[in-house]
Amino acid sequence: MTTLAAVDLGASSGRVMAARVVDGDAGPRIDLTEAARFPNRAVPVRGRLHWDVLGLWAGVLDGLRAVGDAAAIGVDSWAVDYGLLDADGRLLGNPVCYRDARNAPARDRLLAELDPANLYARTGIQHQPFNTVFQLAAEDPAALDRADRLLLIPDLIAYWLSGATACEATNASTTGLVDQGTGTWRHELCTAAGFRADLLGAITPTGTVLGPILPEIAAATGLAATTQVIATAGHDTAAAVAAVPYEGDRAAYISCGTWSLVGTERATPITTPEALAAGFTNERGADGAIRFLRNVAGLWLLSESVDTWRREGRDVVLADLLADAAEQERLRSVVDPDDPRFADPGDMPARIRAYCAETGQPVPETPAEVAACVLDSLALAHRRAIDALEALTGERIDTVHIVGGGSNNDLLCRLTADATGRTVLAGPDEATALGNALVQAQALGLVAPGPAARRAAARASAQPRRHEPQGPQGPWLQATQRLLGRTP
């Protein structure tokens, strides 16, 4: 049995998972145990929203100490954010959060100079304000002048662990700076954004062994000096997709948590005007395949609603809330989860009620009615994304894999099966950490190379729960048409 450390950094928390590679009867599998969890949050300072990256680093070190022994370490995180290093390898300042207000004006300014359709055709990435290319266009020119290297968040942590600089491919692909055809940086976009292309360095293939941990890391954590740092699938969604236990070829995935990332894996990108208009993006997967996907707001609406009720002093137990929501009339009221009013923290139930009132629908009042509205709406959003996938790819989708924390929400999984009319396979819930560890295991030769062997190990590690669609599709189609016709 070999133990690996999977460092998984999210926008609200980070954790270090002990991943034990076991030779089972059905081949190798990975058993996950949480060694440590620590908070993460963006902190406003003098008009900027920063990440407390040193707090994250302290949590990583604590977690590695808790693992106790590991042959290797891999780091994944959210995409697009970065740190700037000077010529001595010192961090020039706390990274700015992708939600910072500076990004949208920079995006609009750069798109006014570059043809948006042509930019999408070159990079395959949707023009989101938080894309790294737009963040760099908003960056302080003095900081860019002082910088010697830019490292995305997981690469920054890997650098502090090993001393090796890298720019792992899955995360690099989210920046809006990579050419979809060649998989290399587009230097003219660096120039347009106002920074030197040499800040980026070469793109590092996923699964590259960067080298052993630094002596001071071994001393601080108790890990062996031979512990290797591996450039795993650094983008957390890429790591989650690497752990999808596909059954058959005609399948889509939903990496479901705060966001629902709905997509398929393809050999080539789709960068047509229709794909741009439909909100789809093209990112790299662990094996170099294209993750063709669309972002849906996800369970953010439900978690913000629960936080609001708890601030109001209500004793809300999620399991009880979901049980009550399951008993509500289906499709009584639905919202568009991607409406901009739902994007920011705050009183989500009030916003949902206002949306329903504006669109002439029954207004949900109780927590159970609001939760039912949210989950029905997410299932409809999943349906629209799956239908768009079929239309854009020209390929039939028979099965939908839901992975990540949302796979534990049986009601959402069942409603997604009903809404899409397709079999839903739910799990693994720890898909990101599992994918992180699986890529490490392949790099060390503990799992055979290639996606098929990794999928087999994923199936041996977690048995998905099956949900078959129940009832006719008519009500879901009618609700979709009603929603599209009433969207404010």
Side-chain angles (χ1 to χ4, degrees):
M1 182 175 67
T2 303
T3 299
L4 310 171
V7 178
D8 176 26
L9 305 178
S12 59
S13 68
R15 67 223 178 116
V16 178
M17 304 288 283
R20 294 175 175 84
V21 186
V22 180
D23 287 327
D25 294 337
R29 73 172 193 273
I30 291 183
D31 297 337
L32 292 171
T33 304
E34 185 177 289
R37 183 179 290 269
F38 40 91
N40 184 32
R41 60 175 180 154
V43 183
V45 181
R46 294 181 60 81
R48 281 283 171 266
L49 197 59
H50 291 274
W51 293 113
D52 179 13
V53 72
L54 297 182
L56 278 179
W57 173 241
V60 169
L61 294 178
D62 290 343
L64 293 175
R65 278 192 290 271
V67 170
D69 177 44
I73 306 166
V75 185
D76 70 75
S77 86
W78 70 96
V80 302
D81 289 342
Y82 58 87
L84 295 173
L85 304 179
D86 67 14
D88 295 321
R90 296 187 180 93
L91 189 65
L92 289 173
N94 273 327
V96 176
C97 174
Y98 64 87
R99 292 186 183 272
D100 190 82
R102 70 176 184 167
N103 299 328
R107 188 270 306 267
D108 295 343
R109 185 173 66 252
L110 199 57
L111 288 182
E113 301 172 9
L114 304 170
D115 174 36
N118 186 44
L119 180 61
Y120 181 73
R122 285 182 285 171
T123 68
I125 301 298
Q126 284 288 327
H127 308 317
Q128 301 284 4
F130 48 69
N131 291 352
T132 312
V133 61
F134 302 132
Q135 292 199 48
L136 285 164
E139 185 61 78
D140 177 8
L144 291 172
D145 287 342
R146 294 195 303 273
D148 183 70
R149 187 64 191 266
L150 177 151
L151 293 178
L152 297 167
I153 296 298
D155 302 319
L156 177 63
I157 300 298
Y159 169 66
W160 286 341
L161 289 169
S162 68
T165 56
C167 190
E168 187 276 327
T170 67
N171 224 3
S173 75
T174 70
T175 61
L177 290 162
V178 174
D179 186 287
Q180 277 295 337
T182 65
T184 58
W185 302 115
R186 293 201 66 108
H187 289 183
E188 79 279 9
L189 296 181
C190 303
T191 301
F195 71 97
R196 306 187 319 274
D198 63 0
L199 291 181
L200 300 171
I203 295 177
T204 306
T206 307
T208 298
V209 178
L210 300 178
I213 58 175
L214 295 168
E216 61 262 35
I217 302 303
T221 61
L223 294 172
T226 55
T227 301
Q228 299 294 310
V229 179
I230 295 174
T232 187
H235 182 205
D236 52 9
T237 305
V241 174
V244 174
Y246 283 123
E247 288 189 7
D249 297 327
R250 298 195 300 186
Y253 61 80
I254 302 176
S255 180
C256 184
T258 300
W259 292 91
S260 281
L261 295 311
V262 186
T264 60
E265 289 191 285
R266 296 176 45 80
T268 57
I270 300 177
T271 57
T272 61
E274 292 79 11
L276 173 62
F280 280 81
T281 200
N282 297 267
E283 299 170 353
R284 295 279 170 170
D287 302 291
I290 299 300
R291 293 181 292 109
F292 184 62
L293 61 92
R294 186 185 189 282
N295 284 19
V296 176
L299 286 166
W300 162 257
L301 280 74
L302 184 62
S303 62
E304 278 297 297
S305 296
V306 170
D307 287 347
T308 297
W309 293 321
R310 288 174 176 167
R311 285 194 300 269
E312 294 172 349
R314 303 194 193 198
D315 183 19
V316 177
V317 178
L318 185 58
D320 295 340
L321 177 65
L322 294 176
D324 291 342
E327 299 301 320
Q328 302 301 307
E329 177 186 348
R330 298 267 68 86
L331 301 171
R332 178 173 179 265
S333 305
V334 292
V335 302
D336 178 3
D338 293 322
D339 187 284
R341 75 181 72 192
F342 303 130
D344 296 325
D347 189 344
M348 198 64 68
R351 298 174 193 172
I352 290 169
R353 288 193 291 269
Y355 184 109
C356 292
E358 290 175 24
T359 52
Q361 301 179 85
V363 176
E365 298 293 348
T366 68
E369 290 173 346
V370 171
C373 174
V374 167
L375 295 174
D376 287 349
S377 300
L378 290 182
L380 279 178
H382 292 166
R383 175 195 172 104
R384 295 200 304 276
I386 296 295
D387 288 348
L389 272 175
E390 287 192 336
L392 291 166
T393 64
E395 299 171 358
R396 168 69 185 173
I397 293 170
D398 293 331
T399 305
V400 178
H401 288 264
I402 298 182
V403 300
S407 67
N408 288 324
N409 189 320
D410 281 340
L411 178 56
L412 178 59
C413 294
R414 176 169 63 81
L415 293 174
T416 298
D418 292 347
T420 62
R422 296 166 176 85
T423 298
V424 166
L425 296 175
D429 58 346
E430 298 286 3
T432 300
L434 180 59
N436 177 325
L438 284 167
V439 172
Q440 291 188 64
Q442 289 187 303
L444 296 179
L446 302 171
V447 172
R454 191 178 63 247
R455 303 297 181 193
R459 285 191 292 273
S461 303
Q463 297 299 315
R465 301 180 308 281
R466 185 177 295 269
H467 298 267
E468 299 292 350
Q470 304 293 322
Q473 284 290 292
W476 294 96
L477 176 60
Q478 293 163 11
T480 299
Q481 295 169 339
R482 188 175 76 239
L483 175 65
L484 295 177
R486 291 178 170 175
T487 298

